[in-house]
Amino acid sequence: MAEPINAAPTKAERTSELCPVDAKKELLMECNNIWKELEQCQSKIMLLGIETLLKSDTKLALLMLQWKALTVDYQECHERSPETISTNPDVLLELGKEELQKVKNDLEKVLSAVCSKNKQLEEDLERGLEELRNKMLQLKTYKKELLSALGEFLDEHFPLPQDSGSAIKRNFSSEPAVELLALQDILEILINKLMTTPHEPYVTINESFWPPYIELLLRFGMALRHPEDPNRMRLEAFHK
């Protein structure tokens, strides 16, 4: 009895038995074949058009033919539904792995760039804060020197009344003595009020404010009375 002849494996059976490496080769071969077919079709289109060209309009006509061919290809690609390059699971798996790897590499590059940018921003911020701290320290030192020089000038040229010393007593009154403020103290109160609460720079004039000092500040335009309350005054905003 004759032995049965084994049938040759089909294309699907051969494809399913391929390893990932063979699947990748198969995909490349299919892509190359498709590309060759496209090149052949393009060559045929160009040859058909060249036969009817005039020598004077050769370049323009070639461009027009290319434009028409590309328009036709675009329209066909737009109308037809996308086709799968291969139905081989191994091929699709390899394609998926490659795409995921590309996405992973792109995300890693973006992450690295963002981290580098953040580090640069942190360094710039720290450097800016250090510069601001140094400037604040310099300003405080300069302010202290100015106030010291101002105090010496005011003590020399605008001392407190000598007959009352540092306090005055009301005649025929049982009220305690009121300690007068030096002109420097009044100016510091006005300055601090203006800087801390610029929206409400007025201070209330009490008995510790010696009237000649108040008139001096008002007369020379260093201070202003409240337009509705004469018992309140503010420093003129020279910094504006």
Side-chain angles (χ1 to χ4, degrees), residues 1-9:
M1 176 185 261
E3 296 182 357
I5 300 175
N6 294 331

Side-chain angles (χ1 to χ4, degrees), residues 62-165:
L62 283 174
L63 292 175
M64 292 298 296
L65 285 175
Q66 291 178 354
W67 176 76
K68 290 180 181 180
L70 290 174
T71 303
V72 172
D73 292 341
Y74 167 77
Q75 192 66 26
E76 291 179 354
C77 293
H78 183 70
E79 292 177 355
R80 70 185 181 187
S81 58
E83 299 178 357
T84 305
I85 296 178
S86 176
T87 58
N88 190 333
D90 293 330
V91 174
L92 297 177
L93 179 61
E94 287 297 317
L95 288 175
K97 287 181 179 180
E98 290 181 1
E99 290 298 324
L100 288 176
Q101 187 63 36
K102 290 179 181 178
V103 174
K104 178 175 177 292
N105 294 337
D106 293 340
L107 291 176
E108 288 178 349
K109 292 179 181 179
V110 172
L111 179 61
S112 177
V114 171
C115 291
S116 178
K117 187 65 176 179
N118 287 341
K119 184 178 180 181
Q120 183 65 35
L121 291 175
E122 290 177 357
E123 293 176 355
D124 294 341
L125 179 61
E126 184 62 27
R127 183 167 52 255
L129 291 176
E130 185 64 24
E131 292 177 356
L132 289 177
R133 283 192 289 265
N134 293 334
K135 289 182 179 179
M136 287 295 296
L137 183 60
Q138 293 175 1
L139 288 175
K140 288 180 179 179
T141 303
Y142 184 61
K143 177 185 176 182
K144 186 177 180 181
E145 293 175 354
L146 284 179
L147 291 176
S148 177
L150 178 63
E152 294 177 359
F153 175 80
L154 294 177
D155 289 341
E156 181 180 355
H157 298 281
F158 301 96
L160 286 171
Q162 296 180 358
D163 56 348
S164 62

Side-chain angles (χ1 to χ4, degrees), residues 10-19 22-23 26 30 86-91:
T10 63
K11 181 179 181 181
E13 291 175 348
R14 292 197 307 271
T15 304
S16 60
E17 293 176 358
L18 294 176
C19 63
D22 294 335
E26 178 188 356
E30 292 181 5
S86 176
T87 58
N88 190 333
D90 293 330
V91 174

Side-chain angles (χ1 to χ4, degrees), residues 25-38:
K25 292 181 179 179
E26 178 188 356
L27 177 61
L28 292 174
M29 292 177 62
E30 292 181 5
C31 291
N32 289 330
N33 292 334
I34 295 173
W35 181 255
K36 289 179 180 179
E37 292 178 1
L38 289 175

